[in-house]
Amino acid sequence: MTLNGWFQIAIMLALVLLTARPLGSFLATVMDGRRCFLTPAVGPVEKRIYALAGVDQTREQTWLQYVASLIAFNAAGFVLLYAILRLQGFLPLNPQGFGALSEHLAFNTAISFVTNTNWQSYGGETTLSYFSQMVGLTVQNFVSAATGMAIIVPLARAFSRANATTVGNFWVDLTRVTLYVLLPLSIVMAFALIALGVPQNLSSYVDATTLEGAKQTIAQGPVASQLAIKQLGTNGGGFFNVNSSHPYENPNIWTNTLESWAILALALALAVAFGRMIGREREGWALLGVMMLFLLAGCAIAYWAEAAGNPFVHAMGVDGGNMEGKEVRFGIPQSAVWATFTTGASNGSVNSMHDSYMPLGGLVPLVLIQIGEVVPGGVGSGLYGLVVFAIIAMFVAGLMVGRTPEYLGKKLEAKEVKMAMLAILIMPAFILGFSAVSAVLPAALAGLNNPGPRGYSEILYAFSSAAGNNGSAFAGLTANAPWYDTTMGITMLACRFGIIVPVMAIIGSLAAKPRLAPSGGTFPTDGALFVALLAGVIVIVSGLEFFPALALGPIAEHFQMLAGKTF
């Protein structure tokens, strides 16, 4: 560890924190439907879309109608993307002549991008045409991110309204987030990436001859446009197989800084926007404080573990940190920051290979996923997941003081707590269930490249990544097989929409309740005590769910290493 390394980490954390308030203010304006500086240009387009789609923007929906619209929209997206992938060989913009994806791979990939997971059991530049990348994947990168962000709007309405039967209009919330936020930011970022050296073209791949006389195919294509939204929308699926460790996706420290910032920018800003939309900005900052607490701890532990190096390498007389699987142009600090940001935010993109991390270094991304992808989690999904944990935290606080719990002026009763627990327990049920079966099933074990605790960690990480809608991987697992493509597809689907439904039920229940005025017995939710309580509940609940599983994987690897045994 060096002072320079800590300085790099501090700079990245400061950057994402500094933009949270201005971006949050803009998001609150857009989500509230108020006029902003983009309205003269985007407003007519928005109205035209409503007219063509037959949407009455003044007509609101109940929570059941809202979630039904959401599920129907995403189901249609899945069918369309699956069809594109299966018919790829007959569609245009395919200069390399790639054929159709297999049934199980197309199923997995379509669900992956519709659920904002972007798990990739394939190499993008060797499998997908430009049409599939742009019309299929990139479109879903926009609308899957917009789906998560849209839910924050009725969530805020649930706390700001009283005795309401409606929570908004899904089609309006989805459209506004896409047109006013995701599209403009992605266009600006794409041009910035092009200026910094990221390719954007529709040309065929180039065949080159190396200095040794070997033949090499250099892949290219519309990289910058997909890269921008993959980061801003916490999607994470790379144009290239090795994602943002590829020099065309991430050529230098400037692109690395921009892409790292983009992973967290909107997710953190949404906490501020949420506070403003409910008229309690300090509560939004308290939620952001919890997010930053976990991110700071993750960066520190990952950097310490990787900078300490590999004792087996040290025994051979080679000093220094663990550079295996990392790009020299970024080094250990920037790799540790990215690994923490991408798993804390359910992004899943990588600029280093997590499978090459030391046991405790690899434990950080895995734990950040398993605590529910809420610190800060995906755009929208992280925040509503954190509010679910806040409901449980306030329930615990109410038990301790012997009074009915409340949060942000709404009384929390049995229905809200039951729905919150249902949302929390879905992830561990699928992660632990499928991981256990995969650890003994011959068809699943055939995909392992490593035995023992490391192989088990690869299985556990894969299902954790799928359930958390993250998409990153411990790369030793060969996942493009019927068992993993199918079970991980089911996991992604269940843990995306199986959480959204109880969250929307909570929203509908809270919106129908009266707002309570703060009293002398109201637990303050805008200070350090609440931050500590919420962080403690997250740690305790997640520890109870996953510690035994982690003890068999990365923790066991660490003790193997201390005993002088390879893993």
Side-chain angles (χ1 to χ4, degrees):
M1 292 185 291
T2 65
L3 184 61
N4 178 272
W6 288 114
F7 180 71
Q8 291 180 51
I9 293 171
I11 287 293
M12 287 309 308
L13 290 170
L15 277 176
V16 296
L17 192 57
L18 284 172
T19 57
R21 184 163 195 171
L23 264 179
S25 176
F26 173 67
L27 287 172
T29 299
V30 170
M31 290 175 162
D32 275 337
R34 291 180 276 127
R35 185 180 179 85
C36 67
F37 70 96
L38 289 174
T39 301
V42 179
V45 178
E46 179 189 5
K47 292 178 181 178
R48 184 62 177 166
I49 290 173
Y50 296 148
L52 290 173
V55 173
D56 181 0
Q57 61 179 315
T58 63
R59 183 179 180 181
E60 294 202 351
Q61 300 170 308
T62 65
W63 77 267
L64 274 173
Q65 293 170 329
Y66 197 101
V67 78
S69 299
L70 184 152
I71 291 174
F73 175 75
N74 283 272
F78 165 76
V79 172
L80 177 61
L81 181 52
Y82 182 83
I84 289 172
L85 298 176
R86 292 290 291 144
L87 299 172
Q88 177 174 256
F90 303 100
L91 297 173
L93 296 176
N94 188 4
Q96 302 308 120
F98 293 135
L101 276 64
S102 66
E103 294 93 335
H104 57 83
L105 181 57
F107 170 80
N108 180 279
T109 304
I111 286 181
S112 177
F113 279 79
V114 167
T115 58
N116 199 242
T117 308
N118 289 33
W119 172 272
Q120 295 173 287
S121 293
Y122 61 89
E125 73 272 35
T126 60
T127 309
L128 296 181
S129 68
Y130 295 159
F131 186 89
S132 296
Q133 294 267 26
M134 294 188 299
V135 179
L137 305 190
T138 304
V139 167
Q140 287 304 317
N141 281 347
F142 276 99
V143 296
S144 66
T147 295
M149 294 178 70
I151 296 174
I152 301 304
V153 187
L155 180 64
R157 293 180 183 129
F159 288 106
S160 61
R161 293 180 177 181
N163 305 312
T165 57
T166 59
V167 296
N169 188 308
F170 169 72
W171 307 108
V172 174
D173 296 337
L174 179 83
T175 303
R176 291 190 63 81
V177 165
T178 304
L179 290 182
Y180 287 88
V181 181
L182 295 176
L183 268 173
L185 282 176
S186 296
I187 291 170
V188 172
M189 184 172 170
F191 277 113
L193 290 169
I194 293 169
L196 292 169
V198 176
Q200 178 72 18
N201 59 58
L202 297 176
S203 303
S204 300
Y205 294 177
V206 176
D207 292 324
T209 303
T210 68
L211 293 176
E212 293 82 7
K215 298 295 183 181
Q216 179 181 1
T217 299
I218 301 175
Q220 55 183 333
V223 182
S225 56
Q226 181 170 327
L227 179 55
I229 185 57
K230 100 169 185 185
Q231 299 300 87
L232 287 166
T234 58
N235 298 282
F239 187 92
F240 297 101
N241 184 39
V242 292
N243 212 281
S244 285
S245 62
H246 194 289
Y248 277 1
E249 276 203 33
N250 196 3
N252 51 59
I253 190 61
W254 299 110
T255 56
N256 191 77
T257 301
L258 177 59
E259 292 174 37
S260 296
W261 168 82
I263 292 173
L264 293 184
L266 289 176
L268 292 178
L270 278 168
V272 179
F274 176 70
R276 289 199 167 203
M277 291 170 71
I278 63 173
R280 300 184 178 199
E281 187 172 344
R282 286 174 58 89
E283 270 80 356
W285 280 99
L287 295 174
L288 189 145
V290 175
M291 298 172 179
M292 292 301 297
L293 186 65
F294 280 91
L295 290 172
L296 177 60
C299 287
I301 295 171
Y303 179 45
W304 164 76
E306 295 306 297
N310 190 325
F312 299 109
V313 176
H314 294 170
M316 293 186 287
V318 181
D319 294 328
N322 176 35
M323 280 298 295
E324 180 188 347
K326 299 177 180 65
E327 295 297 304
V328 176
R329 67 188 185 276
F330 304 136
I332 293 174
Q334 292 297 327
S335 300
V337 165
W338 192 299
T340 302
F341 283 14
T342 195
T343 50
S346 91
N347 179 270
S349 65
V350 295
N351 72 348
S352 60
M353 299 299 107
H354 296 177
D355 194 40
S356 296
Y357 277 41
M358 301 305 296
L360 294 185
L363 181 65
V364 169
L366 185 52
V367 167
L368 286 173
I369 295 172
Q370 289 180 342
I371 61 178
E373 290 290 17
V374 296
V375 287
V379 286
S381 61
L383 182 57
Y384 64 67
L386 189 59
V387 170
V388 166
F389 271 107
I391 289 172
I392 299 301
M394 297 312 296
F395 173 68
V396 172
L399 290 178
M400 289 191 293
V401 299
R403 59 177 286 134
T404 302
E406 59 183 77
Y407 182 53
L408 302 178
K410 291 298 179 86
K411 183 181 293 186
L412 303 176
E413 297 175 300
K415 180 178 180 179
E416 292 81 33
V417 176
K418 289 177 181 177
M419 289 295 103
M421 285 308 305
L422 176 61
I424 287 173
L425 292 175
I426 287 173
M427 272 187 65
F430 279 86
I431 293 171
L432 299 177
F434 278 133
S435 294
V437 175
S438 299
V440 297
L441 190 69
L445 293 174
L448 291 180
N449 291 330
N450 297 292
R454 171 57 63 158
Y456 170 74
S457 294
E458 291 167 357
I459 294 174
L460 182 64
Y461 194 107
F463 284 105
S464 298
S465 182
N469 299 140
N470 183 270
S472 63
F474 270 8
L477 179 69
T478 302
N480 186 16
W483 168 257
Y484 285 113
D485 279 339
T486 304
T487 54
M488 291 181 66
I490 294 170
T491 300
M492 288 183 272
L493 193 65
C495 294
R496 172 73 162 180
F497 299 104
I499 292 174
I500 285 176
V501 172
V503 166
M504 288 302 303
I506 292 172
I507 288 171
S509 178
L510 292 177
K513 294 185 177 185
R515 295 190 69 182
L516 305 176
S519 66
T522 301
F523 188 98
T525 54
D526 60 356
L529 182 60
F530 172 73
V531 170
L533 174 65
L534 179 53
V537 166
I538 293 171
V539 170
I540 292 170
V541 170
S542 303
L544 290 171
E545 291 170 340
F546 292 111
F547 182 78
L550 293 172
L552 295 174
I555 296 175
E557 291 178 48
H558 178 68
F559 283 105
Q560 271 191 332
M561 182 184 70
L562 294 179
K565 298 178 182 179
T566 59
F567 50 86

